[in-house]
Amino acid sequence: MGRKRGFDETAVLDVVRDQFWTTGFVGTSTYDLMAATGLGKGSIYKAFGNKDALYVRVFSDYCQDLVTQAREQLQDGPQAVLPSPMARLEHYLVSLAEAFAAESPRRGCFLTKATADRAGEDKLVAQTARRAYEDLAGLLAAAVRDAQDAGEVADHVDGTALGYLLLSVVRGIDSMAKAGVDEATLRRTARAALDLIPRMDPPQFQG
């Protein structure tokens, strides 16, 4: 029977994620991780592997959580947060803008940071990031198609392309928030992007 670990794995991974998120991969040493977690080098490596493996682990977990949260906010059906697909899209984009602006300090989304920090050097990070972007864009595209089915968005709109466009807007808002753009501007940007989506023409009645 395996020996039970003397620490909370989830709590340790949360601390490690926050350390990498704040100082980046290169800016985080093994000694930094030891100090943050209170674990020895041997304990960290035995439980999670080396620094590279640990970074991929916490980044992958973060991406899965990000996609799950997006699904919960954008999904249609009995558990939908709002009945209207467009209302769900607006709530999702605006709430992200507000969350990015509310951070102090504004460190932005770990997905954006890790993509810039490690995707060019680490194939696993690049693959994980790309999969997260594809999943998020897919959820946004599904919400657009739900809006088409509900008669809110014009039928000719390419839902897949629009999903990636909205994802790009979110990533841009994230970057602007890190640069100190004010919350009101970030919210207006999110709403302006949604206002550009072609809506369904109202029915024409014969007089």
Side-chain angles (χ1 to χ4, degrees):
M1 189 172 177
R3 182 180 177 184
K4 186 176 180 180
R5 290 174 180 168
F7 58 86
D8 184 330
E9 180 176 308
T10 299
V12 168
L13 289 172
D14 285 347
V15 170
V16 169
R17 178 203 60 212
D18 287 345
Q19 184 69 50
F20 280 132
W21 193 346
T22 301
T23 57
F25 180 84
V26 174
T28 302
S29 69
T30 302
Y31 295 105
D32 292 327
L33 298 176
M34 291 165 59
T37 62
L39 299 176
K41 181 177 180 180
S43 296
I44 293 175
Y45 279 16
K46 183 177 180 181
F48 306 111
N50 60 20
K51 177 181 165 182
D52 294 76
L54 191 50
Y55 187 93
V56 171
R57 167 70 182 276
V58 297
F59 179 53
S60 179
D61 288 349
Y62 176 88
C63 289
Q64 290 177 26
D65 289 343
L66 199 65
V67 171
T68 297
Q69 291 167 14
R71 182 176 293 109
E72 290 172 350
Q73 293 191 50
L74 293 169
Q75 69 180 356
D76 195 5
Q79 303 302 317
V81 294
L82 293 167
S84 161
M86 285 303 297
R88 291 197 296 273
L89 276 168
E90 180 176 5
H91 176 266
Y92 177 70
L93 264 67
V94 172
S95 65
L96 283 177
E98 292 172 344
F100 293 146
E103 278 196 316
S104 181
R106 293 185 178 183
R107 58 182 179 175
C109 175
F110 189 31
L111 172 56
T112 303
K113 184 180 182 69
T115 301
D117 190 26
R118 293 294 295 161
E121 291 78 28
D122 190 317
K123 186 176 295 185
L124 286 176
V125 171
Q127 291 173 347
T128 301
R130 184 171 64 251
R131 184 165 55 249
Y133 289 132
E134 290 171 350
D135 289 343
L136 291 169
L139 290 168
L140 289 163
V144 171
R145 288 189 284 271
D146 288 341
Q148 290 174 314
D149 292 340
E152 296 179 309
V153 171
D155 290 335
H156 71 271
V157 170
D158 183 339
T160 298
L162 196 51
Y164 275 99
L165 176 61
L166 292 175
L167 178 60
S168 299
V169 171
V170 170
R171 296 300 109 192
I173 290 173
D174 176 23
S175 297
M176 290 191 297
K178 289 176 67 176
V181 176
D182 63 277
E183 180 178 336
T185 299
L186 298 177
R187 286 200 307 267
R188 287 199 304 272
T189 300
R191 290 195 171 100
L194 294 168
D195 287 342
L196 294 174
I197 299 175
R199 303 305 171 94
M200 184 72 75
D201 292 331
Q204 300 295 318
F205 297 100
Q206 297 295 328

